[in-house]
Amino acid sequence: MGRITVRRPVLRLSTSGTRGRRPDTLAVEEPLEIRVAGKPLTITMRTPGHDFDLVAGFLAAEGVIAGAGDLATMRYCADTEEQNTLDVVLAPGVTPPDDSMTRAFTTTSACGVCGKSSIEALRADRPYEVADDPLRLTPGLLAELPGRLRKAQRVFDRTGGLHAAGLFDADGGLLALREDVGRHNAVDKVVGWALRQGRLPLTGTVLMVSGRASFELTQKAMTAGVPVLAAVSAPSSLAVDLAEDAGMTLVGFLRGETMNVYTGAERIVL
């Protein structure tokens, strides 16, 4: 695994006129090329660490795989100097991604690129139904999740530059947490962890993200069977549309003792 953080010199200034040089800790951002059976599929910018989870979660979100049994092997390529190229061999009988999915460009860490073009396409290709998930939560339990997520962010404490995604059970217990420079990467790492552990679908869980709830994150949560997506910031309009269509509960602006419930309010028990 590559370095997660690096030290760089900075010039520290203040409005009072003081100045000084000191080292600062930065989150590492490096490219990861994903290959399937030796054929390049895409390149994503990510923070090194949990790369196998990242790739498994990405392939699950794109509908290439549905479970751990669809993966034969994953390994770093020996023909590269750094561990920045990962090759996946699918299990016999699993259909490889077609050429239309191959991306000859870099996916930035700022946002994911969803392979599906519309909610209608996602509806037709939905692996799990979350509308009937019986999970019920109280506002008090939800209000505790941002603090629990923040407390578990080890690398963020040193850099201040990473997003986090945390998977919680019905009692608010933390099942998995992943950090990355990209919001979508952090979610892919959590979903990939669950897939490799044989935990999909993620019935009765809450996915808590440190930023906003975009369409891509909602799509990834839905594909993994997560009934509740909560974010400390705002959702997009398309994220709300997708969550409503899927029967998911979408919570935004989860800060302090208040929150906005955009869809699936029946799961929040007052």
Side-chain angles (χ1 to χ4, degrees):
M1 182 179 72
R3 292 180 298 172
I4 298 176
T5 62
V6 293
R7 301 279 279 176
R8 292 287 188 271
V10 298
L11 176 63
R12 179 83 168 181
L13 303 175
S14 73
T15 56
S16 64
T18 61
R19 57 186 293 163
R21 292 190 176 276
R22 69 173 193 181
D24 190 31
T25 301
L26 305 177
V28 170
E29 181 177 25
E30 292 182 350
L32 177 68
E33 179 180 340
I34 302 172
R35 299 178 183 176
V36 177
K39 182 179 180 180
L41 178 65
T42 190
I43 297 174
T44 185
M45 304 302 295
R46 97 304 188 196
T47 300
H50 304 290
D51 286 340
F52 284 20
D53 290 343
L54 169 61
V55 172
F58 170 80
L59 293 176
E62 295 295 338
V64 177
I65 61 175
D70 291 343
L71 293 170
T73 62
M74 286 193 289
R75 64 177 181 85
Y76 291 105
C77 293
D79 60 347
T80 57
E81 183 175 347
E82 303 290 341
Q83 290 186 326
N84 285 333
T85 303
L86 203 154
D87 189 38
V88 178
V89 176
L90 301 177
V94 179
T95 304
D98 58 36
D99 292 339
S100 65
M101 185 180 164
T102 300
R103 296 167 183 167
F105 55 84
T106 299
T107 301
T108 71
S109 58
C111 62
V113 180
C114 178
K116 313 299 187 215
S117 60
S118 66
I119 290 179
E120 288 71 23
L122 286 167
R123 183 188 295 122
D125 204 23
R126 188 178 298 160
Y128 307 113
E129 290 293 340
V130 300
D132 297 328
D133 193 301
L135 178 64
R136 295 295 182 268
L137 303 164
T138 65
L141 187 146
L142 281 170
E144 294 177 1
L145 299 188
R148 295 180 185 180
L149 183 75
R150 177 66 183 83
K151 186 177 180 180
Q153 286 186 258
R154 304 303 184 192
V155 184
F156 182 87
D157 286 337
R158 289 181 282 159
T159 66
L162 290 179
H163 292 283
L167 186 69
F168 294 87
D169 62 22
D171 297 319
L174 181 62
L175 300 174
L177 179 137
R178 296 291 185 264
E179 294 179 278
D180 201 279
V181 287
R183 289 187 306 270
H184 65 293
N185 285 341
V187 172
D188 277 341
K189 288 179 178 180
V190 168
V191 173
W193 166 85
L195 181 144
R196 297 176 68 211
Q197 294 290 319
R199 287 175 171 258
L200 296 185
L202 289 171
T203 305
T205 61
V206 181
L207 182 63
M208 177 79 214
V209 295
S210 59
R212 62 186 179 88
S214 65
F215 170 80
E216 291 91 353
L217 300 195
T218 307
Q219 177 253 334
K220 292 176 185 295
M222 179 201 71
T223 303
V226 175
V228 179
L229 174 62
V232 298
S233 192
S236 68
S237 62
L238 195 55
V240 174
D241 291 343
L242 178 58
E244 185 174 35
D245 181 77
M248 290 176 60
T249 298
L250 180 58
V251 179
F253 291 107
L254 181 53
R255 304 170 183 173
E257 298 181 352
T258 63
M259 64 202 74
N260 292 347
V261 181
Y262 293 87
T263 64
E266 67 276 1
R267 289 196 178 93
I268 313 301
V269 180
L270 300 177

